[in-house]
């Protein structure tokens, strides 16, 4: 299917006419010394678009229709100064959008890292922001989370070598439950539980790394057509999760004319990382570290915790617990530990009951920050 992107044609302003006339007269030798002097740059020239690379596997690229939905949602919100980039062309969807992407079906993130495939793709596209949902094929292949996160390290280093100011949105993967891989569902949970801590350690003020929870609220029974790849409702959910995180980065990135943001109201982000402390028959103790990954202070935080294997959080210290019927635990700061300077962290502990076997406890955690007053 052909790419139906809107083409952006350069605008010719009145202030640029002298330069055009000079170019036309130059072959005739009719320029005066004053006219021959170098003209100042046109102050009305539009800024370069912000270049956004969707990076991943078939969930991103084959056809990855959430990209079309995300593109149009950004356009509708006024973020018109953007350019989706990638070495792959559009792959369908039947929706007008900028379809360039870097979603290679079947790729493992560990192979991309070990084979050095990303640098050439970066050189060809020069992204300012990377939107990465990567690791599903590694999980299916039973690659250990340590190796997947090591591959993330490699790719991030290559991104920063290409652009020291690059911004990275990294997904906690959508659930996976294919008929041919009974263990895949829990493997995704195990990897997702590790991603916030990895992002917190990789984050810098110059090159932020922001976690986007694509796992919560996504149902493989209704949001995929095969237990792995999103259907129409899954695409809607993925686009809806990417949108606020990407819009926040665009509002603080030069070049995007839409919603430039208030310099006095910086984007606030935090991460929550889950760590098992001890395990016994029927329960476990764990610790969750909350880190302010913003460039500004926060005065409070709330963590949404979803334990794996049907575990239920029954007790929390250094935080205020609210539990939902589905087992989701919401933990707010205790007041005294809510205020966090940029880069600062705190922690709360918890006790959970479980009927699971000897598998290591795991949970996904999402953090929301409250602005400092």
């Amino acid at each position: 299917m052909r790419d139906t992107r809107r083409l952006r044609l350069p605008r010719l302003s009145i202030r640029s006419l002298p330069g055009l006339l000079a170019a036309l007269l130059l072959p005739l030798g009719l320029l005066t010394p004053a006219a021959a002097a170098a003209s100042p740059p046109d102050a009305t020239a539009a800024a370069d678009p912000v270049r956004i690379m969707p990076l991943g596997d078939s969930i991103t690229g084959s056809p990855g229709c959430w990209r079309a939905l995300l593109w149009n949602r950004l356009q509708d919100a006024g973020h018109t100064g953007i350019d989706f980039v990638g070495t792959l062309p559009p792959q369908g969807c039947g929706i007008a959008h900028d379809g360039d992407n870097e979603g290679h079906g079947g790729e493992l993130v560990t192979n991309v890292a070990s084979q050095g495939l990303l640098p050439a793709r970066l050189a060809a596209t020069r992204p300012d922001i990377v939107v990465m949902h990567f690791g599903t094929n590694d999980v299916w292949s039973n690659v250990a989370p340590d190796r997947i996160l090591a591959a993330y390290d490699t790719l991030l280093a290559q991104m920063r070598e290409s652009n020291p100011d690059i911004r990275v949105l990294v997904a906690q993967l959508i659930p996976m439950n294919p008929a041919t891989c009974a263990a895949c569902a829990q493997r995704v949970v195990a990897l997702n539980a590790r991603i916030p801590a990895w992002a917190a350690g990789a984050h810098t003020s110059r090159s932020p790394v922001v976690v986007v929870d694509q796992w919560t609220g996504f149902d493989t029974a209704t949001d995929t057509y095969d237990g792995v790849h999103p259907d129409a409702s899954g695409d809607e959910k993925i686009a809806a999760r990417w949108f606020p995180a990407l819009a926040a980065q665009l509002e603080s990135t030069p070049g995007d004319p839409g919603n430039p943001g208030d310099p006095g109201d910086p984007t606030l982000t935090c991460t929550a990382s889950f760590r098992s402390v001890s395990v016994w028959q029927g329960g476990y103790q764990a610790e969750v570290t909350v880190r302010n990954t913003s460039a500004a202070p926060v005065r409070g935080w709330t963590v949404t915790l979803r334990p794996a294997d049907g575990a239920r959080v029954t007790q929390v210290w250094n935080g205020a617990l609210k539990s939902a019927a589905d087992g989701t635990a919401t933990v707010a700061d205790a007041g005294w530990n809510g205020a966090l300077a940029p880069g600062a962290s705190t922690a709360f502990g918890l006790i959970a009951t479980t009927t699971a076997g000897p598998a290591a406890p795991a949970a996904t955690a999402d953090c929301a920050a409250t602005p400092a007053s």
Side-chain angles (χ1 to χ4, degrees):
M1 181 174 292
R2 65 178 183 177
D3 188 355
T4 54
R5 290 178 286 174
R6 294 188 292 270
L7 297 179
R8 300 185 183 88
L9 300 177
R11 296 180 180 175
L12 181 63
S13 67
I14 294 175
R15 296 175 60 180
S16 66
L17 287 176
L20 176 59
L21 291 173
L24 292 173
L25 293 173
L26 181 59
L28 302 177
L30 299 179
L31 288 179
T32 66
S39 300
D42 183 4
T44 64
D48 290 337
V50 179
R51 302 169 68 84
I52 303 167
M53 173 190 281
L55 174 63
D57 46 43
S58 59
I59 291 172
T60 295
S62 302
C65 290
W66 60 261
R67 291 182 288 104
L69 301 175
L70 177 59
W71 167 265
N72 283 286
R73 184 174 289 202
L74 290 167
Q75 297 291 305
D76 292 343
H79 295 290
T80 56
I82 60 174
D83 181 13
F84 278 14
V85 299
T87 60
L88 296 178
Q91 298 170 16
C93 297
I95 302 172
H97 72 291
D98 185 341
D100 299 331
N101 71 94
E102 210 64 67
H104 295 257
E107 279 197 339
L108 280 68
V109 68
T110 47
N111 288 348
V112 171
S114 64
Q115 297 172 16
L117 301 179
L118 185 61
R121 299 171 183 175
L122 293 168
T125 56
R126 300 177 292 106
D128 302 299
I129 300 174
V130 172
V131 175
M132 185 173 84
H133 183 288
F134 216 168
T136 298
N137 291 309
D138 302 78
V139 170
W140 195 319
S141 302
N142 199 20
V143 177
D146 285 343
R147 287 185 56 201
I148 297 173
L149 296 178
Y152 283 10
D153 284 332
T154 299
L155 267 55
L156 180 60
Q158 293 167 345
M159 294 174 196
R160 287 174 171 167
E161 184 175 357
S162 170
N163 177 2
D165 300 306
I166 201 160
R167 299 169 179 234
V168 181
L169 305 184
V170 58
Q172 289 175 293
L173 305 183
I174 63 172
M176 179 168 59
N177 191 24
T180 56
C181 182
C184 280
Q186 181 56 39
R187 291 177 195 162
V188 173
V189 172
L191 174 61
N192 282 345
R194 300 276 302 277
I195 289 176
W198 172 83
H203 177 91
T204 69
S205 58
R206 181 175 183 180
S207 175
V209 178
V210 178
V211 177
V212 177
D213 180 7
Q214 291 286 359
W215 188 88
T216 302
F218 197 100
D219 186 344
T220 56
T222 59
D223 299 325
T224 73
Y225 59 83
D226 60 357
V228 180
H229 298 90
D231 57 17
S233 67
D235 285 325
E236 290 281 358
K237 289 184 177 181
I238 294 172
R241 288 299 179 91
W242 282 129
F243 174 74
L246 184 52
Q249 293 301 315
L250 290 170
E251 288 164 7
S252 59
T253 301
D256 175 40
N259 297 325
D262 179 359
D265 185 20
T267 301
L268 296 177
T269 57
C270 58
T271 59
S273 54
F274 177 92
R275 180 178 69 89
S276 174
V277 175
S278 60
V279 183
W280 55 87
Q281 184 65 36
Y284 60 82
Q285 177 183 340
E287 179 181 80
V288 176
T289 298
V290 179
R291 185 179 302 275
N292 177 10
T293 54
S294 312
V298 302
R299 67 177 174 86
W301 46 264
T302 302
V303 172
T304 303
L305 195 68
R306 299 169 182 82
D309 299 323
R312 298 297 179 107
V313 177
T314 58
Q315 180 183 348
V316 163
W317 54 95
N318 299 335
L321 171 66
K322 291 183 179 179
S323 298
D326 65 355
T328 300
T330 303
V331 181
D333 64 84
W336 58 268
N337 61 351
L340 296 175
S345 64
T346 187
F348 65 86
L350 63 92
I351 299 293
T353 60
T354 180
T355 58
T364 59
D366 190 26
C367 184
T370 306
S373 56

